[in-house]
Each structure stands twice: as C-alpha cells, then as structure tokens.
Amino acid sequence: MPGDSHVEEQVFGGEHHSGRVARPLWTAIKPGLLGRCPRCGEGKLFYAFTKTVDTCSVCGEEINHHRADDLPAYLVIVIVGHIVVGSFMAVEATTTLSNLQHALIWVPLTIILALALLQPVKGAVIGLQWALYMHGFGGEKDEFESHS
C-alpha cells in the first residue's frame, strides 16, 4: 500500500554504519594536539620530537601502527603559509620595510611556526585516525591494495 511505505533514515559513520561504538572526534584530537594518548588523554604520545611511542604507558593502547605519513607536514605548510603570507601582506601594505628587514622577520617566523606546529598537528592526525578506527586502531590489520 502506498501509505504504509517504511523508509529507513540514512545515517553515516559511527555505530549505525560500522556496528562499532562511535569515538568522539574532538575528545580524540584534543589530547593528540597536546601530545597525549587519544584514548585516555593521559599517556605520552611522543618519545622524541615526532616519534610516537609504541603503546600508551597508561591505558596500553597500541599506537605504533598509525600512519600519519606526510599529512601533518602538508597541514603545517598550509597553516604556516596562510599565517605568514597574510601577515606579510598586511605589513607590506602598512609599512615600507626593506627586503632585508622582511627576510629578517619572515624567514625566522616561518621556521619557528613550522617547528612549533609539527608535533601538535601530527598528534591531532593520530587522534583523528584513532577516532575513525583507521590504520589498525579498529583491531584489524591494514592491507595494501595492489594496482595491477
């Protein structure tokens, strides 16, 4: 009958999609930004500047299988580029600095910002992967696709 049609509402992601408990995205990314485990928020995420620990010392979550790869570096380039270029354009429009003065301001600022943001951004990417059950954080092993 036309009046008895049952249409199920489409829901993407989370429990409905995969059968897994949804992990809150922000509560996983925030500890990553602070260099902490995305699961418990307590254990250290890094043992060196950008080298992650194998497992969390507090909750035991395995972290060694994450695959942040080059994404943190790309994100840092985008963030730093927007900050530096926007600031440069504002300063250039309002002052008359020489090329040497610009170089003395913008080169060190670019390097400092890139180094300051690399670890927090990598931690955030790992938190994102954990929240979305990516790259081994869901209990299954990653398999590589062959392109033959």
Side-chain angles (χ1 to χ4, degrees), residues 86-133:
S87 300
F88 168 79
M89 291 174 65
V91 168
E92 182 65 18
T94 58
T95 64
T96 54
L97 297 177
S98 69
N99 288 341
L100 178 61
Q101 290 171 317
H102 277 298
L104 291 174
I105 293 169
W106 305 115
V107 171
L109 182 64
T110 301
I111 293 169
I112 291 167
L113 282 173
L115 291 174
L117 289 174
L118 191 55
Q119 190 182 51
V121 169
K122 183 171 182 173
V125 169
I126 294 170
L128 173 75
Q129 291 176 349
W130 180 84
L132 298 178
Y133 293 94

Side-chain angles (χ1 to χ4, degrees), residues 18-42:
S18 65
R20 298 177 176 162
V21 175
R23 294 174 174 169
L25 196 58
W26 176 243
T27 56
I29 291 176
K30 185 179 175 185
L33 281 168
L34 301 173
R36 299 288 176 200
C37 171
R39 181 178 179 199
C40 68
E42 298 293 324

Side-chain angles (χ1 to χ4, degrees):
M1 291 201 217
D4 291 337
S5 65
H6 175 71
V7 178
E8 184 177 336
E9 180 184 352
Q10 287 187 326
V11 179
F12 299 98
E15 297 175 18
H16 185 75
H17 172 70
S18 65
R20 298 177 176 162
V21 175
R23 294 174 174 169
L25 196 58
W26 176 243
T27 56
I29 291 176
K30 185 179 175 185
L33 281 168
L34 301 173
R36 299 288 176 200
C37 171
R39 181 178 179 199
C40 68
E42 298 293 324
K44 282 187 161 187
L45 188 57
F46 299 99
Y47 70 88
F49 183 61
T50 58
K51 302 288 186 191
T52 57
V53 296
D54 288 337
T55 58
C56 175
S57 61
V58 176
C59 68
E61 177 72 26
E62 285 191 36
I63 299 170
N64 62 337
H65 47 67
H66 81 85
R67 294 199 36 221
D69 297 333
D70 293 335
L71 180 60
Y74 293 139
L75 294 175
V76 167
I77 289 169
V78 169
I79 294 166
V80 171
H82 279 80
I83 293 170
V84 171
V85 171
S87 300
F88 168 79
M89 291 174 65
V91 168
E92 182 65 18
T94 58
T95 64
T96 54
L97 297 177
S98 69
N99 288 341
L100 178 61
Q101 290 171 317
H102 277 298
L104 291 174
I105 293 169
W106 305 115
V107 171
L109 182 64
T110 301
I111 293 169
I112 291 167
L113 282 173
L115 291 174
L117 289 174
L118 191 55
Q119 190 182 51
V121 169
K122 183 171 182 173
V125 169
I126 294 170
L128 173 75
Q129 291 176 349
W130 180 84
L132 298 178
Y133 293 94
M134 296 170 63
H135 304 299
F137 286 116
E140 69 282 340
K141 194 170 180 86
D142 269 353
E143 294 185 22
F144 294 101
E145 296 178 18
S146 64
H147 295 284
S148 52

